[in-house]
Each structure stands twice: as C-alpha cells, then as structure tokens.
Amino acid sequence: MKKIRIGIIGAGRIGKIHADNLLRHPLAEIAAIGDLFAGDELNEWAKQRSIPVVTRNSDDIIGDPNIDAVFICSSTDTHVPLIKQAAGQGKHIFCEKPISMDIRQTEEALEAVRLAGVKLQVGFNRRFDHNYRRIREHVNAGAIGDVQLVKITSRDPAPPSEEYIGSSGGMFMDMMIHDFDMARYLSGLEVEEVYAQGGVLIDPVFGKHGDVDTAIVTLRFAGGAFGVIDCSRKASYGYDQRAEVFGSKGSAATANDHPNTAVLSTAEGIWSDKPLYFFLERYEAAYRDEIERFVDCLVRGEALPVDGRDGAAAEKIALAAKLSLQRNRPVKLSEID
C-alpha cells in the first residue's frame, strides 16, 4: 500500500511530537520538515530520524509535488495563509488549534479546503483520549438517556511564561478551546449561548495582557441542556482533567489519570500519587492515536474524525466567551456569526 508522504511546517515541541508519532506509522513517511529558525540542532534532530529535507521556507514543502499532506504546527497567525496555500496545491492538511483567532479568516480557510476537495483535520487530541472516548460511547449508546448537564474541569499545573501569555490569544482561545470542543464532543450537542466570568487570581501578569487566569463558563446547548466548565492556570496538585455527562437515565464520568493506581492506607490517612503532571504525559496516547487516525483516513479515503467545521465551532464558542466576559452578559453564538 502506498505510503502517505508528509511535510511538517513548524518544528517546535508539538511539531516534533507529531513527527515522532508519524515515524511510528507504517504507512507514513516524513519527506521534509521546515522551521523559520532551522539550524544545526534541527538538522541533527532530523538526521537522527532519517528525515531527508530540512528547510526554513514553507514553500519548499507546500510546493513539493511528491508531498501528499502537510502538518501545520507553526504559530497561529500563519495557519490560515498556509492552509490556503496547501489546499491550492492539493495537499491534505493537519492543523494545530486554533485555525485562527478571527472567525472570518477561519471560514475563508475552510472555503479554500472545500473548493480544493482536500481533507483538513484540527488538532483536538482530547477526542482520542481513552477516558473521554468512553464517555462519548456511553452517550451515543443512550446509556445515560437525554443529556441534561455537562461538567468539565480543566486546570493546568503551572502558568505559562509571560511571552506565551502575550501571544496566546487568551485563556478562552488558547486553553479552554479544548474544553469547548469537549463539550460538543461528549454531549453530541451544539452550543447556542455562552456566559463567562473570569478574573486574575493567580498572577497579575495575566491582567497586564488583558487576560484572566481563572474562569467559569456556562453553556446552553440546543434543546435546553446546560454545560459548566471551570478552568484555572494553576492547580498546585497537578494537571486536573475531569468530565461528566449527566442525563435522564444516569451519568458517565471520568477522573484524572495517575502514574499508578496504588493507594496507601494507614491509621494516619490515605494517600495516592498526584495526577500525571501535564498534557504531554496525560495525553501521550491521544497524540499517537490522532496521528494514526489521520493517516489511516487518508489511506482509506474515509471522513476525518474531527475536521475544520469542528475547529470553527470551538472558535466561535471561545469568541462568544471572550465577548461575554467583556460585556458581562450571556452571548448567543449567532452574535458571533
């Protein structure tokens, strides 16, 4: 069976993670990797993995007629022009979230993909996590009946750097966008209205950049169900990732993943290890599975499990949350349209 030849644009942490996962797939071949700051370190890294081409120019990758698909792992402001360019060259696309921070630009990118007839998968890796996938299966099977309430907790173990905060797009677009996608994915419902409250409770640097570090977002789904997401940039005990979908017949919930399941019980108390430290550890398998699914869909000509429309939907929720915080009122997603 013909291998899918892939070019990677952006060789930061996530680009290298995707590269190593692609190298494990028997039907994927990395033809090139590009980064604006490519130098000796990246050349040596690529050499160790037998990646034949390292470039500073994304045109070298997108313009290569022998490359079938492009991974866009560069900064968010480059996503839309690169998607348009890749689609115009007939390349299938895997793009990290968000597609953009402007829904109009995102829609333009999706239209370019549609006109070109290529596939676009967005990097919502949590859809491939074993815990969340099981909740989705229970909901789809009708095990909990009609969905009435979705609860998601998402808390990081430590805040990002100030440099990152300033260019991240804010908590709703950078961090909570995963949770907005999870709310849609777990419930199988579309969000109609958003109400956000947030503040700076951890570090004044967030306020300096017009951002918040602690937030609660309430969602109203089509049909009347509700969602509640609580989010924090710092949980002293580690990476806190929990979810529950409650319905007319029951509940499906998932707790944190831990390094082990051992529990020490004595007369003084009961102890267990903290959750897996951060997203690289917590979602290691999910990162592998999303790449495997992308390649398999290209090989078999199947529909992708998470596409550009899912990316746009999560962005609209994030933008509605930002507007809600600014105006201190609920915001309907139709206002974002």
Side-chain angles (χ1 to χ4, degrees):
M1 191 174 290
K2 177 181 178 292
K3 286 188 175 184
I4 302 296
R5 288 175 54 83
I6 294 168
I8 299 173
I9 300 173
R13 177 172 58 183
I14 195 64
K16 289 179 177 177
I17 289 172
H18 289 327
D20 283 338
N21 286 329
L22 284 166
L23 290 169
R24 295 186 179 97
H25 199 295
L27 295 178
E29 177 184 343
I30 302 178
I33 188 165
D35 193 277
L36 281 174
F37 304 102
D40 292 343
E41 182 180 351
L42 182 59
N43 278 289
E44 180 60 28
W45 180 91
K47 181 180 178 181
Q48 292 172 1
R49 290 158 175 79
S50 300
I51 299 173
V53 175
V54 177
T55 178
R56 292 186 175 185
N57 190 346
S58 60
D59 292 346
D60 295 339
I61 293 175
I62 294 176
D64 186 339
N66 296 314
I67 287 179
D68 305 302
V70 174
F71 271 61
I72 300 175
C73 307
S74 48
S75 59
T76 300
D77 61 307
T78 68
H79 290 180
V80 168
L82 289 173
I83 288 172
K84 290 179 177 179
Q85 189 181 358
Q89 293 293 321
K91 314 291 187 192
H92 299 297
I93 304 158
F94 181 103
C95 182
E96 274 303 320
K97 61 81 192 169
I99 296 173
S100 81
M101 299 182 191
D102 183 327
I103 197 62
R104 291 167 296 183
Q105 292 185 21
T106 296
E107 294 291 352
E108 289 176 7
L110 299 190
E111 181 65 6
V113 168
R114 186 189 69 81
L115 291 174
V118 297
K119 297 180 184 294
L120 167 63
Q121 181 166 320
V122 179
F124 284 135
N125 65 299
R126 295 184 192 181
R127 288 182 176 232
F128 302 86
D129 173 70
H130 58 290
N131 291 330
Y132 295 138
R133 189 167 56 225
R134 189 64 175 138
I135 291 181
R136 168 74 177 232
E137 290 170 355
H138 286 314
V139 172
N140 283 352
I144 67 162
D146 296 328
V147 174
Q148 298 172 343
L149 182 64
V150 178
K151 297 176 67 177
I152 297 173
T153 291
S154 183
R155 302 166 187 167
D156 284 353
S161 66
E162 181 173 359
E163 180 183 8
Y164 183 86
I165 293 168
S167 61
S168 69
M171 172 176 270
F172 300 126
M173 188 65 76
D174 170 55
M175 182 179 176
M176 292 186 81
I177 194 168
H178 280 292
D179 305 303
F180 298 144
D181 180 64
M182 276 294 95
R184 295 179 63 244
Y185 172 74
L186 295 177
S187 68
L189 303 173
E190 294 298 334
V191 174
E192 290 189 339
E193 187 177 84
V194 178
Y195 180 50
Q197 291 183 296
V200 179
L201 305 180
I202 297 168
D203 192 329
V205 71
F206 288 94
K208 174 183 173 182
H209 292 279
D211 197 7
V212 297
D213 55 33
T214 308
I216 292 178
V217 175
T218 303
L219 309 172
R220 181 186 288 274
F221 295 97
F226 293 98
V228 179
I229 302 171
D230 74 83
C231 202
S232 173
R233 286 288 194 180
K234 182 181 179 181
S236 58
Y237 51 85
Y239 196 39
D240 195 349
Q241 298 282 286
R242 291 171 284 147
E244 178 192 14
V245 181
F246 174 81
S248 58
K249 294 181 179 179
S251 168
T254 181
N256 287 309
D257 274 4
H258 294 261
N260 57 69
T261 58
V263 177
L264 172 64
S265 301
T266 72
E268 287 73 32
I270 299 174
W271 294 268
S272 64
D273 285 354
K274 294 179 181 180
L276 293 171
Y277 179 67
F278 208 4
F279 68 95
L280 293 180
E281 296 86 358
R282 172 64 178 81
Y283 293 115
E284 181 182 4
Y287 279 117
R288 289 198 306 268
D289 289 350
E290 73 171 343
I291 297 307
E292 181 176 338
R293 190 79 177 96
F294 176 72
V295 173
D296 289 347
C297 285
L298 296 189
V299 170
R300 299 168 185 167
E302 298 174 351
L304 296 171
V306 51
D307 60 20
R309 303 313 313 178
D310 295 307
E315 286 176 32
K316 286 183 179 179
I317 300 171
L319 292 169
K322 184 176 181 179
L323 186 61
S324 173
L325 184 67
Q326 292 170 345
R327 299 189 178 179
N328 193 29
R329 66 168 176 83
V331 172
K332 294 184 181 299
L333 258 66
S334 58
E335 297 181 56
I336 304 303
D337 290 334

